[in-house]
Amino acid sequence: MGKKILDSRWLYAILSVLLAFVLWFYVGQEANPEVTNTLGHVQVTFTGLDKLEERGLMISQGAEQTVSLRIRATREVWNRLNQGDTTVSIDVSGITEPGEQSVSVTTRVINFPRSITGMDAIDVQYTSPGTVEFTVSRWASKEVPVQGAFSGSVAEGYQREDFQFTPETVTVSGQEELVEQVDHALVTVSQDDMDATYNEDCAYTLVGADGEPVADAELLTADPATVLTVLPVVQLKEVELTVDILPGGGATEDDVTVDIEPGTITVSGEAADLAELDSVSLGEIDLSQVFGTLTQKMPINLDGTLENVSGPAEATVTVRVEGLSTKTLEADNIEVINKPEGYEANPVTQSLTVLVRGTQETLDAVTASQIRIVADLARLDLSTGTRTVPVRVYLDGSSDVGVVGEYNISISISRS
């Protein structure tokens, strides 16, 4: 009888444990039921891109896409799914040639959050789409020049000049087929009544050889993203061309007429540089070298901050001596000075015909005895023999008459 009671107690204990387990399992299932739902916007990521780059390849289409996963899992697992990042990882390191690619979305390529362990039951029933489609293309890079286009107007009295860019080129990278279409980068500046230089960092448009923007340019990478753009605007001013007349040969500025063709030029520059500029001198004309009429071309030289926008680089200058007469005199008063030490220098030329100029009245009073011819040997090279040297011709005793022209005599040099 006692043994039956004891056996019954053991039976009751086992039954109690079984009931408790069943109750715990039932309550657990009710509290954490399995749920089937869709996890959308799962980002597709790509690994092994460095290997693609080493082979000169890139993902040209499909680099940014998502998939949806139809999953059955407990509510607790779903809570952790929503809290972490789930991705689909595609390894592209094995791709060696360009072309269309298709990879099935299987559990092998799905990465669940770290909080999901292997003990958690996740049943991926299907994916949408079922495959990841992407395109691998050749990668290329090249430098293209930056060009500018202006739309608008410049204020009256001003002129815009050529665009200046820093840097002058940009580097375009991406799918080879697209990179090859790019001819240049175009900066467009729109301004009205410009009277000052434009200076801004500007974006640009990638343009093909046909002058049209490159389609799908957003798929390319361009560096830098902006360029410093300078569009100089300068002031214009018309200024007179002049020459400086040096008196000589009995003539002064009052005795000549000067014609310059062109008489004026248009100059561009900063307003401050043009404020005091009313004329540009072509240089000097020594009247002692002018016989009657002198016509010569003279260069138009400007300060480096200014530009001659009229065009001609030189002007034709005509100088006419009027109202004066000339007279020739045979002079023999020749003097040699600054002879080199240890050398003898003797004139071979014994007389020189000299042209003088002045009013007829003053010329009638001039005689050859007033002319003095001086050969200065201070800079003569030390060699012997007969040679020609330049001389200065002086007319003493008459300030209203001058010597016209340049003169030379022959001298003999020997060692003393």
Side-chain angles (χ1 to χ4, degrees), residues 302-307:
L302 296 176
D303 183 87
T305 61
L306 304 176
E307 182 180 355

Side-chain angles (χ1 to χ4, degrees), residues 256-324:
V256 300
T257 59
V258 179
D259 293 322
I260 301 175
E261 181 59 37
T264 63
I265 60 172
T266 300
V267 176
S268 68
E270 296 295 332
D273 296 328
L274 292 176
E276 303 298 326
L277 182 69
D278 295 315
S279 63
V280 173
S281 175
L282 300 173
E284 298 177 342
I285 291 183
D286 184 355
L287 293 182
S288 68
Q289 306 303 313
V290 179
F291 300 87
T293 299
L294 169 70
T295 299
Q296 68 180 44
K297 292 186 180 295
M298 303 182 72
I300 303 173
N301 297 317
L302 296 176
D303 183 87
T305 61
L306 304 176
E307 182 180 355
N308 175 9
V309 299
S310 296
E314 57 185 15
T316 301
V317 180
T318 302
V319 179
R320 298 181 181 85
V321 179
E322 299 174 340
L324 298 179

Side-chain angles (χ1 to χ4, degrees), residues 98-239:
E100 303 293 332
Q101 306 293 327
S102 178
V103 178
S104 298
V105 182
T106 65
T107 54
R108 184 174 61 86
V109 299
I110 300 174
N111 299 316
F112 292 105
R114 291 182 179 180
S115 60
I116 306 298
T117 67
M119 298 295 294
D120 297 309
I122 297 180
D123 178 18
V124 180
Q125 297 181 337
Y126 65 87
T127 66
S128 179
T131 58
V132 174
E133 310 285 343
F134 59 98
T135 302
V136 173
S137 301
R138 294 285 181 193
W139 181 90
S141 178
K142 73 174 181 180
E143 288 189 354
V144 296
V146 181
Q147 298 181 11
F150 175 74
S151 63
S153 61
V154 177
E156 186 176 355
Y158 290 83
Q159 172 180 284
R160 68 177 177 88
E161 300 190 336
D162 293 335
F163 279 95
Q164 301 169 10
F165 300 106
T166 305
E168 296 179 345
T169 62
V170 298
T171 301
V172 181
S173 305
Q175 183 179 347
E176 185 177 51
E177 293 82 355
L178 289 179
V179 171
E180 290 177 348
Q181 296 177 29
V182 181
D183 180 74
H184 61 275
L186 181 65
V187 174
T188 302
V189 174
S190 299
Q191 296 283 309
D192 290 319
D193 294 326
M194 287 184 69
D195 59 3
T197 295
Y198 178 89
N199 190 324
E200 297 286 346
D201 282 313
C202 298
Y204 50 82
T205 302
L206 298 179
V207 176
D210 59 357
E212 296 297 325
V214 173
D216 298 324
E218 68 277 3
L219 301 178
L220 296 172
T221 300
D223 183 55
T226 61
V227 294
L228 177 61
T229 302
V230 178
L231 183 58
V233 173
V234 293
Q235 190 174 4
L236 299 177
K237 187 174 185 179
E238 187 176 19
V239 296

